[in-house]
Amino acid sequence: MTDHVPSIPLRTALIYAVAAGLWILFSDKLLAALVHDPESISWLQTIKGWGFVSVTALLLYAGLRRQIGKLEQARVIGKQQLAVLDQAEKVLRETEEQMRLAVSAARIGLWDWDLKTNQVYYSPEWKRQIGYEDREISNEFSEWQSRVHPDDLGRVLSTAQAFIADPWPNYQLEFRFRHKDGSYRWVLAQATLMKDEQGRPARMLGTHIDITERKQMEEDLRQQARLLDLAHVLVTGADSRIIIWNTWAEQFYGWSKEEALGKVSHDLLKTVFPEPLETIEAKLRATGTWEGELRHTRRDGSQVIVASHWQLDGGPNGESEVILEVNNDITALRQAEAEIRQLNAELEQRVMERTAQLEAKNRELETFTYTVSHDLKAPLRGIDGYSRLLLEDYLDRLDDEGRTFLYNVRSAAEQMNRLIDDLLAYSRLERRALHTSEVGLDLLIGSVAAECADKIQERGITLTVEVPCANVSADPDGLALVLRNLLDNALKFTRHVPHPAITIGGRETETSCILWVADNGIGFEMQYHDRIFEIFERLHRTEDYEGTGIGLAIVRKAVERMGGRVWAESVPGQGATFYLEIPK
Amino acid sequence: MSANKAAFLLVEDNPMDVDLTKRAFARRRLVNPIEVARDGEEALTWIARWDSGEPRPVVILLDLKLPKVSGLEVLQQLKSHPTYRTIPVVVLTTSADDYDVKTAYQLGANSYIVKPVDFEKFMEVATQIEIYWSALNEPPR
């Protein structure tokens, strides 16, 4: 068309020029030949001229109309085409926009590498992925190359080069790419190769997608898989067939994966259940879990005891139900328990034996004491008896000195008798069993005081009893013995006091009851406080105050047996107070 | 109540104790004679003697600490004998031991007296024993 456009007007003009020229030539000649009248030639020439102009005008009109018609058509067509183009452009723009949005939403970075100029177009998203603004990265190839992780660069470049040389579909590369902040992101690069007309590689273009999170998830999953492999678990289906048999299971039970997978777990492991399997399954269905101890047999025949926790995991409609078993090896624990029970039993046995031994020893001691006292008393009876007979029958045959000797012999025998009695009483304290009961103190004190009523009255002693605690939990006989001894002492040591007074008092605390027997007798020095509670320890001469010195030892022993304690306070010449504290 | 003149049988091994006991009773003018058995075995031989007709004692004073056969043994033998278990037995011993007292009574002792060391007191006891068993108590028929 381009060629034809200048030629049509030219050709038309040439034809017209030639035609008109020929007409003019011939028409004039024709006229001259036909008509000789000069007037007629002139108005014939005018008519001819008008005729020529008319024809020309007609020709012009026709020709122009045709051309303009064509032009008009062309214009209309052109307008239509323009409209179509506009529409197409609009669609294109919309598509572009959608793609841009999609790319933007999918965070796909685009790159376009001109292999000839080594310039690369990087999309704003590509730059944003590694933390840069659009203007911060130029279109140099080095911008990409310098940011690939040094460990990955070799692989990436050689793959890219191989691709450029001989492309394949679905080019994909994963490598680490440096972010602006210095950290490395994982990037998935996909590309396609475009060749020029000569078939030489011209452009390589593609996408960058940040897959750091995906990589992390992959790593997490890998780690989870590793951990699962080590965990003390195994997984069976609802039918008890083994689905997961990990490294731990292989080591613990001895069966390899191939041997174990698909087998019914309790058959393989020869499981001994604590309750029927139906019960276990029922509980599992009801609550989703079950716990109990199982006994398994390993491949090599040895047995283990595990504390097993079962967890039911299933799809909403019951499909792909699996049971997760967590097994803790408690074989050693149970073993230790069994040993401890054994040891305990042995210990109890030994304790029983030892107790029997002690009881035997005790009985020995009792027999010994009994025998000793009995045997000691026999000769004592002899001494007392015969000295008495001497006194009765032969006194007149003795002089003063002889009588003194005799009295001394009798006195010594009496003393020995008292000693033996006190010793017996003291040892009997230990042998006698404690009978703890609720003791009404008023009653007890009353009865003990009543025993000494005669002496009290005889000596004109003022006895005051003020004991607020109502009851104590104690051995009544023991307590009576203690009070009796203390009262006896009080009576004894107030003998030489003009107005003897004895007070029996008490006080209650949260945990115990404190009683005291106070007198205004001769008292003692506090430096002897500890000694007076010892066996046969006396502070006075026998002729001043009789006694073997066993009384307070008995008191202390008896009180200590009841779980209490005794102590005393005294000022010489002003009296003494003896305290005893008994736990309630 | 007439005094029973039959003997007292004293079962006692200690010679001094025997002597003193006899003297104690004598001092208080005991009427009844005192027979003595020096140990448990000898005491039990009296059973044969009673079988052969010898008179039974008014009361048997039995010490517990005896050689050969112990006092409790003798007591048991006497008190399980169909005929002679009716003879009153007074355990006269130094021991005030719970076990001895309990067992003696369980075996059927009629009385349990602890021998005082003091001779004066012993003479009192002797008197009381005599008055009770010889004069007051109605003997078994």
Side-chain angles (χ1 to χ4, degrees), chain B residues 5-70:
Chain B
K5 302 280 195 315
F8 283 15
L9 175 60
L10 174 67
V11 186
E12 170 67 63
D13 68 312
N14 188 321
M16 277 202 278
D17 278 335
V18 169
D19 184 50
L20 287 170
T21 308
K22 277 182 162 176
R23 287 182 189 274
F25 278 104
R27 293 271 157 165
R28 297 300 164 98
R29 314 221 192 296
L30 175 68
V31 179
N32 308 68
I34 298 180
E35 298 281 354
V36 178
R38 297 299 308 281
D39 56 48
E41 199 180 58
E42 199 185 314
L44 292 171
T45 61
W46 279 86
I47 294 179
R49 288 167 75 164
W50 299 326
D51 282 338
S52 65
E54 283 198 37
R56 283 180 253 176
V58 169
V59 64
I60 300 174
L61 302 174
L62 179 63
D63 185 22
L64 292 184
K65 188 116 185 313
L66 299 169
K68 293 189 198 162
V69 181
S70 78

Side-chain angles (χ1 to χ4, degrees), chain A residues 370-371 374-375 377-386 388-389 392-393 410 413-414 417 428 431-432, chain B residues 14-17 19-20 23 27 63-65 93-98 100 115-120 123:
Chain A
Y370 165 77
T371 313
H374 194 108
D375 290 347
K377 288 225 173 183
L380 211 55
R381 271 199 307 281
I383 296 172
D384 187 272
Y386 287 113
R388 173 81 204 192
L389 285 168
E392 288 197 357
D393 297 346
R410 287 194 56 74
E414 277 165 38
N417 194 31
R428 215 176 286 134
R431 281 189 288 134
R432 221 166 39 81
Chain B
N14 188 321
M16 277 202 278
D17 278 335
D19 184 50
L20 287 170
R23 287 182 189 274
R27 293 271 157 165
D63 185 22
L64 292 184
K65 188 116 185 313
T93 186
T94 40
S95 168
D97 200 52
D98 284 349
D100 287 332
K115 256 194 289 201
V117 169
D118 187 298
F119 192 65
E120 174 101 38
M123 288 195 286

